[in-house]
Amino acid sequence: PVDSSALQQYAAVAERLGHAGAARSALIDYAALEPAEAERAGFAARVGSLALAAGDPAGALPWLVRAVEAAPD
């Protein structure tokens, strides 16, 4: 069993250290454990931004679309 908050903390540290890919992976794992969180626009936008920073525009697209759909205004 994994404590989902550990994944959030790891993502924050990885992001601060410039490891966008690791941060994105941790947040995606977190979303698997906390699916309601993945539907928040801010969360989805963060994952999408990290994917872009990691050089993965194709991986960013579904997250950025999800962010726009969650907060269309």
Side-chain angles (χ1 to χ4, degrees):
V2 174
D3 182 358
S4 62
S5 68
L7 292 167
Q8 280 186 307
Q9 292 171 6
Y10 177 74
V13 170
E15 188 173 7
R16 271 185 250 134
L17 294 174
H19 302 289
R24 176 195 58 188
S25 294
L27 289 177
I28 290 171
D29 291 345
Y30 174 76
L33 296 173
E34 304 288 342
E37 187 71 15
E39 299 307 317
R40 286 187 37 248
F43 181 87
R46 183 175 174 205
V47 175
S49 295
L50 287 167
L52 287 174
D56 183 13
L61 185 60
W63 287 100
L64 296 174
V65 168
R66 187 181 295 188
V68 169
E69 289 173 348
D73 293 332

